[in-house]
Amino acid sequence: MSGVIVEVTSRRFAIPLECPCCGAAPDGELTIAVTPAAGRTVATDTARGLEFPYCRRCIEHVVAWESAGMTSAGAMVLVIVAAIVVGITLGLVYALALAVAGAIAAWVFLQRKKARAKAACGASCAAPQRAVGYLGWSGTESAFVFESHAYAARFAEQNAERIPNPSPQLRRLLDGHRAARLAVPTPAAAHVTVPPPATVDDWLGRLAAAAGVVARRSTVQRALDALHEPADRERILARAVELELAPVQHKLHDPDARKRAIAELTADNVPEELYAAAVRELERAPG
């Protein structure tokens, strides 16, 4: 995977709530599995995968692209098995002929499937495959590669304090991104009525309506930034912890399951206060 590499000196980081492929508003998520790259150290306690928001259209062409490769690989395995059987029964020449014909057919099938995946992309899509690569946690940095330069710039801007030494490539990208923004005239702001601050119940409603893990965690962080009364913050954290631990709630009687859940939370991109509250809840669990 080629693209812009961004290194963040933290396990915790902000994720722009837009599709990293086309920039549209996300209505889904993709799990980006860790993929070690040559020359990069990956710590043993790295997250196995991280969630990124995605729009459904881009999820569809990513799935189509990846299924093409898997189907082609499966076909080649069948061809090889068939060629071995033919070689044993009819001879080497027939086996080679079958293997060559099968390889050509699998290649043609793969190209057609990939062409369909490309055709499903929109004009603003960065790539038919996943536009994000997670290179793992090294022990000091979380590393990513982004196909979209615009998304890479926005990701870096939202995590500027965690990127003290951007690479020359990233620095050039950020400078160009700022220059492009300055070149576009800012329209005069219309007079708007400022709505009243969101209440705790408003934030709880937004938590319930959040589309996916990333959106929910972002909502938790924004709620905690906006609320200052300890009781209000505790209500938000209590509900957020319930939602965070819901997938493993039935396992929490098992001490080993609790340890695994804590390890996964530690490796994951969970806001600090939510992480601390979830760990406290896990440590209090009976069993």
Side-chain angles (χ1 to χ4, degrees):
M1 182 180 187
S2 61
V4 180
I5 293 176
V6 181
E7 296 171 326
V8 181
T9 58
S10 175
R11 286 185 186 273
R12 324 265 182 237
F13 42 85
I15 295 179
L17 292 180
E18 60 185 77
C19 178
C21 181
C22 71
D27 51 7
E29 288 183 343
L30 270 182
T31 301
I32 308 300
V34 61
T35 305
R40 289 189 170 273
T41 301
V42 178
T44 55
D45 61 345
T46 192
R48 290 172 290 180
L50 295 173
E51 304 292 334
F52 270 78
Y54 247 85
C55 74
R56 294 194 185 279
R57 176 176 179 170
C58 290
I59 290 174
E60 287 175 3
H61 70 65
V62 167
V63 170
W65 181 274
E66 294 180 349
S67 67
M70 289 187 289
T71 305
S72 179
M76 277 307 303
V77 170
L78 292 176
V79 167
I80 291 169
V81 171
I84 292 172
V85 173
V86 168
I88 293 171
T89 57
L90 299 178
L92 181 60
V93 173
Y94 292 99
L96 288 174
L98 177 60
V100 170
I104 292 172
W107 183 85
V108 170
F109 175 81
L110 175 63
Q111 297 311 307
R112 286 180 178 173
K113 291 279 284 183
K114 284 189 171 182
R116 288 176 190 161
K118 286 182 180 179
C121 293
S124 60
C125 286
Q129 68 271 28
R130 293 173 191 247
V132 180
Y134 173 45
L135 306 182
W137 165 252
S138 69
T140 57
E141 293 176 328
S142 298
F144 303 88
V145 57
F146 300 107
E147 293 289 351
S148 166
H149 285 200
Y151 191 87
R154 283 191 275 275
F155 181 91
E157 285 180 338
Q158 290 192 19
N159 293 283
E161 73 282 2
R162 302 179 182 94
I163 309 175
N165 298 302
S167 67
Q169 179 196 28
L170 182 56
R171 193 181 298 279
R172 287 193 301 271
L173 176 62
L174 289 170
D175 290 343
H177 193 64
R178 293 188 195 102
R181 279 205 309 267
L182 292 172
V184 178
T186 303
H191 178 73
V192 294
T193 302
V194 178
T199 65
V200 177
D201 289 335
D202 292 335
W203 284 114
L204 290 173
R206 293 176 190 179
L207 271 182
V213 173
V214 178
R216 187 180 73 232
R217 290 172 179 172
S218 176
T219 300
V220 171
Q221 189 59 62
R222 289 188 290 115
L224 294 175
D225 290 342
L227 298 170
H228 303 290
E229 291 297 326
D232 294 342
R233 295 168 62 83
E234 282 302 318
R235 284 184 64 192
I236 294 295
L237 281 173
R239 180 55 181 150
V241 167
E242 286 179 13
L243 295 170
E244 196 72 36
L245 299 184
V248 296
Q249 192 66 49
H250 63 289
K251 302 178 183 177
L252 298 187
H253 64 281
D254 179 359
D256 290 335
R258 291 202 301 273
K259 288 179 183 177
R260 286 193 297 272
I262 290 173
E264 288 173 5
L265 282 171
T266 302
D268 206 348
N269 181 31
V270 186
E272 288 289 353
E273 287 184 82
L274 175 56
Y275 166 74
V279 169
R280 285 196 299 271
E281 184 66 22
L282 288 167
E283 290 173 342
R284 284 201 299 259

